[in-house]
Amino acid sequence: MGNSFGKLFKITTFGESHGKALGAIVEGCPAGLELDEEMIRLEMQRRKPGQSKITTQRKEEDEFEILSGVFEGKTTGTPIGIVIQNSDQKSKDYSHIADKFRPSHADYTYFEKYGLRDYRGGGRSSARETAARVAGGAIAKQFLSTKGITIQAFVSQVGDLTMDPDYSKFDLELAEENIIRCPDPEIAEKMISLIDTVRLDRDTIGGVVTCVIKNTPAGLGEPVFDRLHAELGKAMLSINAVKGFEYGSGFEGVKMRGSHHNDAFIKEGDQVHTVTNHSGGIQGGISNGEDIYFRVAFKPVATIMQDQESINEAGESVTVSGKGRHDPCVVPRAVPIVEAMAALVIADYLLLSKSNKLADI
């Protein structure tokens, strides 16, 4: 029913925004991985609400409990069960839209699909569900770290404020040094100021998260429909508020000629590399060993603190008033979600790659 992702390294999430808890079941993680729970906790803290003035003020500590699949600090190879308690729900903030459809929300589509809906914070359609993805993604990250694979996402655009697209010019670790998670300190301050202005205007604004995956081995990806970039695209487009995905040169690549866009191969020692990387580390749907990089576009948050015209379940015209606690811009908290989904994809394809050649079996 669309609640699971992955083939071998697989995650299933459950829970709603205002339910008692939400969580994840992670299957396929190899046995013997030394699991660092503090690292999972730190990832959860990066996503949690209420972390700065430019995020929702809902106070969830996002503490988690591992129920299964780990013994004496190591994964056992069996399903890893994780539960995250909800503790700061204010369901009364949503009673005024119990029968109203909020513009650009999933209220109407969920109602048409199921004939009923959990209107408290959007229920299952809420971005609160992504807390479970981050927990599962943190496990995938730890698995990938044993192979030297790293994943770093950062905010590269808010509104019309954009940092230099050449990420190699920046120390990406600096992204965690400011509340917007942008590695360009000068642009970061402008982004923060813009979001704060939008917040005071009782409005919202969108942005872009860029992600870079380093040290991925060549050969990951499955033809024809399960190409690596297709799975990354599916992963990113499954995140709330995402409106676009592009990898490598993306849409800008259409402005180039093939003679400039082609990535020439060279050999340095025992390693094959490309002189340029317009391909974004993926060719023919299979990784080539270069950096995999992509951009994810997030729309402005749909809930705004202004009156909007809509209809109710009876089809009558109504006014929807924005209430509750919401992000004026989702991208600062989306960074660890993008990383988590990327980690789940790469972990899955790394395991799948072990069945490609007889020598690997």
Side-chain angles (χ1 to χ4, degrees), residues 62-83:
D62 279 354
E63 290 294 334
F64 64 92
E65 183 180 5
I66 295 179
L67 304 178
S68 62
V70 179
F71 179 67
E72 295 183 342
K74 293 184 178 181
T75 57
T76 62
T78 59
I80 301 171
I82 305 172
V83 66

Side-chain angles (χ1 to χ4, degrees), residues 235-246:
M236 299 308 140
L237 290 166
S238 75
I239 300 172
N240 309 64
V242 169
K243 284 295 184 180
F245 169 83
E246 63 175 0

Side-chain angles (χ1 to χ4, degrees), residues 6 13 41 43 79 96 99 102 109 123 134 157-159 180 186 196 267 282 290 309 313 322 337:
T13 71
R41 186 166 288 106
E43 292 294 287
H96 68 293
D99 67 340
R102 295 170 295 174
T109 51
V134 171
Q157 182 174 347
V158 172
I180 191 65
E186 184 177 343
D196 206 31
K267 192 165 185 179
I282 302 172
E290 299 300 311
E309 297 306 309
E313 293 177 4
I337 304 169

Side-chain angles (χ1 to χ4, degrees), residues 43-213:
E43 292 294 287
M44 300 291 288
Q45 295 299 298
R46 295 172 68 212
R47 193 223 69 98
K48 77 172 186 177
Q51 57 186 274
S52 75
K53 67 178 182 179
I54 59 172
T55 63
T56 172
Q57 294 306 296
R58 178 172 175 171
K59 297 296 182 182
E60 293 285 0
E61 291 306 315
D62 279 354
E63 290 294 334
F64 64 92
E65 183 180 5
I66 295 179
L67 304 178
S68 62
V70 179
F71 179 67
E72 295 183 342
K74 293 184 178 181
T75 57
T76 62
T78 59
I80 301 171
I82 305 172
V83 66
I84 306 158
Q85 299 294 332
N86 285 328
S87 61
D88 190 32
Q89 313 98 309
K90 291 187 178 180
S91 299
K92 60 181 177 58
D93 287 346
Y94 298 90
S95 58
H96 68 293
I97 52 100
D99 67 340
K100 299 176 182 178
F101 301 132
R102 295 170 295 174
S104 286
H105 276 275
D107 298 341
Y108 172 73
T109 51
Y110 264 60
F111 184 76
E112 284 298 306
K113 179 176 177 61
Y114 296 109
L116 52 85
R117 64 186 175 93
D118 183 348
Y119 60 83
R120 304 166 303 165
R124 182 70 175 155
S125 70
S126 169
R128 178 92 184 113
E129 177 269 339
T130 60
R133 303 190 194 200
V134 171
I139 296 173
K141 271 189 170 184
Q142 292 186 52
F143 167 56
L144 295 178
S145 70
T146 66
K147 307 300 181 182
I149 300 172
T150 63
I151 300 174
Q152 176 75 62
F154 55 92
V155 174
S156 56
Q157 182 174 347
V158 172
D160 59 1
L161 292 173
T162 306
M163 61 177 278
D164 191 314
D166 185 357
Y167 63 85
S168 66
K169 295 180 180 179
F170 301 92
D171 178 359
L172 301 187
E173 295 295 329
L174 292 178
E176 292 300 316
E177 298 297 317
N178 54 68
I179 59 176
I180 191 65
R181 294 199 165 93
C182 173
D184 183 333
E186 184 177 343
I187 295 294
E189 287 303 315
K190 294 179 180 179
M191 289 176 173
I192 294 168
S193 178
L194 175 58
I195 294 174
D196 206 31
T197 297
V198 169
R199 178 181 64 85
L200 293 174
D201 288 341
R202 303 167 70 213
D203 215 331
T204 61
I205 196 166
V208 173
V209 172
T210 296
C211 186
V212 182
I213 308 173

